[in-house]
Amino acid sequence: WWIFNSDGTPQRPAKVGLAEHTSLGSILTDGAGMSLYLFDNDTPGMSNCSGGCLASWPALLTEHGTAALQDVTGTLGTITRGDGSVQVTVNDMPVYYWANDAAAGDAGGHSLGSVWWLLNAEGNAIRQLVEADATPTATPMPVATAAPVVDDGY
């Protein structure tokens, strides 16, 4: 069953799934196959990315909880950011997009500044560096939007 908004659209959770990266193995993505990242400067339950950081690294936000897809075994949750928005967490760590990732399977933010990392199925940072020619192969879930900042599950 679904809970519906006043306009008749269903309320759907932010989905977290997996894509296969040629060098790193399974990586966490949103429901559209967009890569998700962990920020080393965050602490459990707290985002330390705001302002310009957040412009480059948009948070995966939700208005209706979270849902793990495929073989995601990390613990999904949420935190409330300072502006009142609700950010998805994996193992209590906030997760983000890289603004320069344009399509499902892009993973250009991996290891940037030695503080931004892709995550494995267990929700742990993958701290392995990749060769320049290694690319992920996304297996996106059906969704209506390509790269939502608020992943409402379409």
Side-chain angles (χ1 to χ4, degrees), residues 11-138:
Q11 295 180 359
R12 294 191 172 114
K15 296 177 183 176
V16 176
L18 297 173
E20 194 65 25
H21 188 282
T22 56
S23 295
L24 301 175
S26 294
I27 61 170
L28 289 185
T29 66
D30 72 0
M34 297 300 293
S35 299
L36 296 174
Y37 298 88
L38 176 137
F39 183 36
D40 275 344
N41 293 347
D42 285 344
T43 56
M46 172 66 90
S47 170
N48 289 309
C49 180
S50 61
C53 175
L54 205 54
S56 295
W57 298 93
L60 172 56
L61 301 175
T62 185
E63 294 178 353
H64 306 293
T66 61
L69 305 174
Q70 299 155 323
D71 295 324
V72 174
T73 57
T75 302
L76 301 183
T78 61
I79 58 169
T80 301
R81 296 182 56 83
D83 64 2
S85 62
V86 178
Q87 184 172 3
V88 174
T89 62
V90 180
N91 299 336
D92 207 30
M93 295 297 289
V95 292
Y96 304 85
Y97 299 102
W98 169 231
N100 290 347
D101 285 349
D106 288 353
H110 182 66
S111 76
L112 284 180
S114 297
V115 294
W116 291 98
W117 307 99
L118 293 167
L119 299 107
N120 62 22
E122 294 80 29
N124 299 315
I126 302 170
R127 298 186 189 280
Q128 172 186 344
L129 300 180
V130 296
E131 297 176 23
D133 62 347
T135 57
T137 304

